[in-house]
Amino acid sequence: MKLSITGHHIEVTPAINEHVHIKMRRPETHFTGTIEAHVVLTHLASKAKEERNVAEVNVLVQGKALHASATHGDMYSAIDEMVNKISTQLDKYKAQKKFDHSVPHIQ
């Protein structure tokens, strides 16, 4: 997986970087091909405490672009929720691709 991480109004510490890399291994297991993912972590000081940390990911897999985001008071929890959302989307996409290939085309 090609993974890039960007921080917006937040420093991407080695601990956060490692957490994202560990968690993003889960979506990587869905496909054997190349997956590109860009994670953006944002801290919004003007928002309510429980919505200050935003984790977003854009994933490009087999020509399909997927996006997931999550907000939480804790950045690690936002990252975990974001990974759960993108994993669900990848599961659905994989099931759809499997279904599309198994149906014979009638002309």
Side-chain angles (χ1 to χ4, degrees):
M1 172 183 287
K2 295 180 183 176
L3 178 63
S4 64
I5 304 168
T6 305
H8 192 249
H9 299 295
I10 187 171
E11 179 186 351
V12 180
T13 63
I16 290 175
N17 189 18
E18 182 179 357
H19 186 75
V20 171
H21 276 86
I22 290 170
K23 291 296 181 172
M24 288 299 290
R25 287 183 192 150
R26 181 173 155 209
E28 187 177 26
T29 62
H30 296 280
F31 292 92
T32 57
T34 303
I35 299 174
E36 294 181 31
H38 181 70
V39 176
V40 179
L41 306 174
T42 307
H43 179 77
L44 304 170
S46 62
K47 291 284 187 176
K49 187 175 182 178
E50 56 276 350
E51 297 178 350
R52 285 190 180 167
N53 296 296
V54 181
E56 298 177 279
V57 64
N58 292 305
V59 174
L60 183 62
V61 59
Q62 297 176 349
K64 175 79 173 174
L66 301 172
H67 176 80
S69 66
T71 59
H72 203 278
D74 176 54
M75 182 56 78
Y76 291 95
S77 297
I79 292 166
D80 293 348
E81 188 177 331
M82 173 204 64
V83 170
N84 289 339
K85 287 180 180 183
I86 200 67
S87 292
T88 300
Q89 288 183 33
L90 286 166
D91 282 340
K92 288 179 183 179
Y93 179 68
K94 186 175 181 180
Q96 179 186 23
K97 291 295 282 183
K98 187 179 284 188
F99 178 75
D100 288 346
H101 292 296
S102 64
V103 176
H105 297 293
I106 301 173
Q107 296 181 357

